[in-house]
Amino acid sequence: MALLIKSVFSFLKQPIFSSSLRVFSITKQLNLKEFQESRNGNKLIIEAVSVPSTRTDLLVRADKIQDLTPAVIDAEKPVCYLCKLGLDIKHTDVLILSQFVRSDGCMLPRRITGLCSRQQKKVGTMVSMAQKAGLMINLTPSRCKKDPKQRYGYKKFNTYFDEATIFMKKIPDQRDKFKR
Amino acid sequence: MSAAKRVQQWATFARTWHIFDCKWQDPYQSANIIKKYLMGLHKPIYHPMNDCGDVVVCINSREIALRGDDWRKRAYFHHTGYPGGASWTLAWELHNKDPTMIIKKAVYRAMKGNLQRRHTMERLFIYPGEEIPEDIKQNVSNQIRQLRLVPQRLDHIPEEEVQQYPKVMEYPPDYVLK
């Protein structure tokens, strides 16, 4: 009996909910978009306007550069565009790192950056290093005071980071060298 | 002795005054550099019994940079000598109290503990900011190269340069700008 009721419910559920979840779109879907608010009398219009990407002309790709010595790449693993370029990026290179963040300074997910998992972790850690060092203070949430000197406690002093620690399993403790 | 040789003699044994800008420098790494100039190890005439050390003026010691989580992990030990007189001060607490102390202690520790050390330390001048007394400024004739590049903040780079900088990442076609 219970089985019968269950099957009836699932049969009823299917057309109702599946139809409500279906996405209809009138505008062209695959485009870089920007939300724009405009006010027409009492009406507030919020629309997603498709905009051309400003980055397309300035884009650097390894296959477009002549006489680039190819970076040493392990053929087993998937290769991304950043691996191919073979750049030695530091956490102080804010002009590069700021391309991978949102306007609130948050690292973009991998489905948007299109990096391999190793580079995603590396860039993500370097973004947080740059944020902790206060180098990308204009790309922070709105509640931030936008001045590293106004931070609380130890955070207000200058800090630098070692990029070699990104892929360390355990960062060695300085006190361990006194252990027997 | 000819006049030229006499001048060479003066120049060899004269104390040179060096300036070092501590802005965004690791105090423990730069202490090894400062130590060399203070003790005169960079001179070919160096000998431990030969008083040939130079004077070093450190400026911007408030702006030093420590690595990783060193500000809250590194502790400075002090003991008054009385029972229960031990105290541990974290690096950021010490820097709040005296912004010259960390670089001073770093240079002091970088040198070997002998009777000469305290006299060598007398030749080190540390200032928390950029202002130094005029009589000291007049003597300075050399600048010690910094170890680390001073990083540039993104909001200090002109907006146009940020826009025109070559881009590595391209947004996917269906990305909504935030």
Side-chain angles (χ1 to χ4, degrees):
Chain A
M1 192 62 202
L3 198 81
L4 190 77
I5 291 166
K6 243 185 195 173
S7 62
V8 167
F9 263 99
S10 65
F11 180 73
L12 283 172
K13 238 176 168 175
Q14 215 177 1
I16 297 165
F17 287 97
S18 65
S19 63
S20 66
L21 282 172
R22 187 180 283 170
V23 181
F24 288 103
S25 66
I26 303 160
T27 54
K28 195 181 167 192
Q29 257 197 319
L30 298 175
N31 239 334
L32 204 64
K33 279 178 185 174
E34 198 174 50
F35 282 112
Q36 281 186 1
E37 280 185 21
S38 57
R39 198 169 273 280
N40 185 12
N42 281 338
K43 265 189 218 163
L44 176 70
I45 304 163
I46 301 173
E47 52 183 348
V49 186
S50 55
V51 287
S53 174
T54 51
R55 291 186 176 181
T56 318
D57 308 335
L58 299 161
L59 211 61
V60 178
R61 285 285 176 269
D63 42 323
K64 285 179 188 166
I65 305 170
Q66 274 99 32
D67 54 87
L68 176 87
T69 45
V72 182
I73 292 162
D74 193 2
E76 299 274 310
K77 286 168 187 171
V79 176
C80 69
Y81 56 89
L82 203 60
C83 295
K84 279 184 193 162
L85 279 172
L87 296 171
D88 180 24
I89 305 175
K90 302 259 183 266
H91 76 281
T92 48
D93 300 332
V94 282
L95 283 168
I96 296 173
L97 293 179
S98 62
Q99 297 168 20
F100 293 93
V101 298
R102 259 184 257 147
S103 59
D104 66 345
C106 200
M107 179 71 186
L108 289 167
R110 204 174 139 200
R111 71 189 146 83
I112 290 168
T113 57
L115 294 168
C116 61
S117 62
R118 190 180 167 84
Q119 289 288 350
Q120 175 75 13
K121 189 188 174 187
K122 193 177 177 185
V123 174
T125 316
M126 282 195 292
V127 162
S128 59
M129 283 172 172
Q131 293 284 19
K132 281 175 189 170
L135 301 175
M136 295 204 292
I137 205 75
N138 54 344
L139 298 176
T140 37
S142 54
R143 63 177 180 278
C144 177
K145 283 176 202 150
K146 311 281 178 193
D147 185 12
K149 296 269 166 66
Q150 297 217 338
R151 288 173 176 175
Y152 181 74
Y154 65 90
K155 291 174 192 165
K156 68 182 168 188
F157 298 124
N158 294 343
T159 313
Y160 77 92
F161 294 91
D162 187 6
E163 283 82 12
T165 56
I166 293 174
F167 291 111
M168 278 183 187
K169 291 231 167 59
K170 182 179 175 282
I171 294 167
D173 192 341
Q174 289 298 308
R175 288 167 295 186
D176 285 352
K177 61 186 172 190
F178 300 114
K179 278 184 186 167
R180 297 232 174 114
Chain B
M1 190 184 268
S2 70
K5 276 282 174 192
R6 192 159 64 233
V7 172
Q8 193 187 18
Q9 179 82 358
W10 291 341
T12 309
F13 289 99
R15 286 200 203 282
T16 317
W17 288 57
H18 307 269
I19 198 163
F20 182 72
D21 191 354
C22 299
K23 195 175 235 179
W24 281 95
Q25 302 302 304
D26 188 305
Y28 312 105
Q29 288 171 8
S30 44
N32 288 323
I33 307 292
I34 294 168
K35 175 189 89 171
K36 280 183 193 168
Y37 287 90
L38 272 183
M39 294 166 74
L41 286 167
H42 63 300
K43 295 181 181 178
I45 58 160
Y46 173 78
H47 187 268
M49 302 293 285
N50 176 3
D51 183 20
C52 64
D54 286 346
V55 185
V56 177
V57 183
C58 291
I59 58 166
N60 282 328
S61 76
R62 193 180 275 121
E63 309 279 312
I64 54 167
L66 259 58
R67 193 179 69 173
D69 52 2
D70 254 18
W71 280 117
R72 61 200 158 100
K73 288 287 171 72
R74 192 178 284 265
Y76 285 88
F77 177 74
H78 176 73
H79 202 290
T80 59
Y82 289 97
S87 69
W88 287 265
T89 313
L90 298 177
W92 68 273
E93 291 170 335
L94 185 70
H95 204 59
N96 263 339
K97 286 186 175 124
D98 186 358
T100 63
M101 197 63 108
I102 286 184
I103 192 102
K104 188 180 171 187
K105 279 181 175 290
V107 176
Y108 187 79
R109 282 181 187 180
M111 287 189 289
K112 207 176 159 192
N114 51 20
L115 289 176
Q116 200 58 42
R117 177 160 67 164
R118 282 171 191 275
H119 300 287
T120 313
M121 284 300 290
E122 290 291 297
R123 272 184 261 119
L124 177 67
F125 295 90
I126 307 166
Y127 296 98
E130 279 183 344
E131 291 85 42
I132 52 175
E134 193 56 41
D135 55 335
I136 284 174
K137 206 180 193 174
Q138 281 172 354
N139 295 325
V140 172
S141 60
N142 184 35
Q143 187 181 3
I144 302 173
R145 190 182 283 272
Q146 284 181 316
L147 276 171
R148 303 179 59 78
L149 276 175
V150 177
Q152 205 176 10
R153 264 165 62 174
L154 188 63
D155 53 335
H156 290 170
I157 304 170
E159 184 68 30
E160 204 173 298
E161 197 182 318
V162 177
Q163 297 288 340
Q164 291 305 314
Y165 194 79
K167 297 286 182 282
V168 178
M169 200 206 86
E170 170 70 306
Y171 294 120
D174 55 343
Y175 180 66
V176 179
L177 283 173
K178 269 179 203 164

